[in-house]
Amino acid sequence: MDSNGVVEWAVVESDIGPLMLAATETGLVSVVFHATPEIRDRMVERLRARLGAEPVEAPGSARLAEPERQLAGYFAGTLREFSLDLDWSLTAGFNRQVLRELARGVPYGAVAGYGELAERVGQPGAAQAVGAAMGSNPLPVVVPCHRVVENDGGIGGFGGGLETKRQLLALEGVLPQPLF
């Protein structure tokens, strides 16, 4: 990761709990749910190992200002489409191809099936591999893996937990808001 040098990270509050955001000079590289100290420490180690750079805690970082602003707008219901520079270096190959198609092709308020996404990237029959790609998504919320559901109408799995997936889909109007 010689070109990116430093990875800056910070934890921000959100409607779905604390999120850890990390960015390189290329762009946002990671969004992590439920950013407890233990999860944060694990992610700092993972970023160090995967990107070959020393992650630096940088609350108020200029590099993170726009991702923070856009996420706040998303949770406030005023932003429906992220326009952030993304650093895709934590994903590669089929997973990266599927995640890029998801980011480009499944808009706010819509959902796609695992099989449908597999077809869109020219790999019909690779629904399970699409599921694995969603599970490895380094940029959840921004790259909206919560919008991928089972073809039979089931909600499917979610790295951030099913309750988090339900909250995101309710925010986008796909699911009814819970009554309490």
Side-chain angles (χ1 to χ4, degrees):
M1 197 187 106
D2 33 298
S3 63
N4 286 335
V6 176
V7 180
E8 294 180 349
W9 67 271
V11 173
V12 298
E13 286 306 317
S14 81
D15 292 11
I16 54 171
L19 297 175
M20 178 180 171
L21 308 180
T24 63
E25 71 186 27
T26 303
L28 188 66
V29 71
S30 176
V31 176
V32 180
F33 293 117
H34 316 300
T36 61
E38 302 77 43
I39 288 174
R40 237 177 19 229
D41 291 348
R42 255 201 322 269
M43 197 58 211
V44 166
E45 279 306 311
R46 186 164 167 248
L47 289 167
R48 181 182 294 124
R50 295 282 304 276
L51 300 176
E54 189 54 44
V56 176
E57 187 171 8
S61 152
R63 205 179 270 186
L64 294 170
E66 191 57 19
E68 286 181 31
R69 190 186 71 72
Q70 290 192 28
L71 280 162
Y74 171 80
F75 286 112
T78 57
L79 180 95
R80 290 174 165 236
E81 194 176 329
F82 291 98
S83 56
L84 294 169
D85 291 328
L86 302 178
D87 180 334
W88 293 93
S89 54
L90 292 178
T91 184
F94 178 78
N95 288 3
R96 183 185 295 190
Q97 186 185 5
V98 169
L99 291 169
R100 283 181 177 261
E101 174 56 34
L102 171 65
R104 198 178 29 246
V106 184
Y108 186 99
V111 292
Y114 295 97
E116 178 189 340
L117 215 46
E119 283 176 28
R120 286 196 200 183
V121 296
Q123 299 286 334
Q128 279 189 306
V130 167
M134 296 304 109
S136 73
N137 181 6
L139 293 159
V141 183
V142 175
V143 176
C145 53
H146 59 275
R147 296 182 191 150
V148 182
V149 295
E150 293 173 352
N151 294 341
D152 64 6
I155 193 167
F158 194 59
L162 290 184
E163 187 48 41
T164 300
K165 185 170 187 171
R166 280 192 196 92
Q167 284 177 275
L168 292 169
L169 290 172
L171 173 71
E172 295 188 10
V174 175
L175 289 177
Q177 290 286 353
L179 297 174
F180 45 83

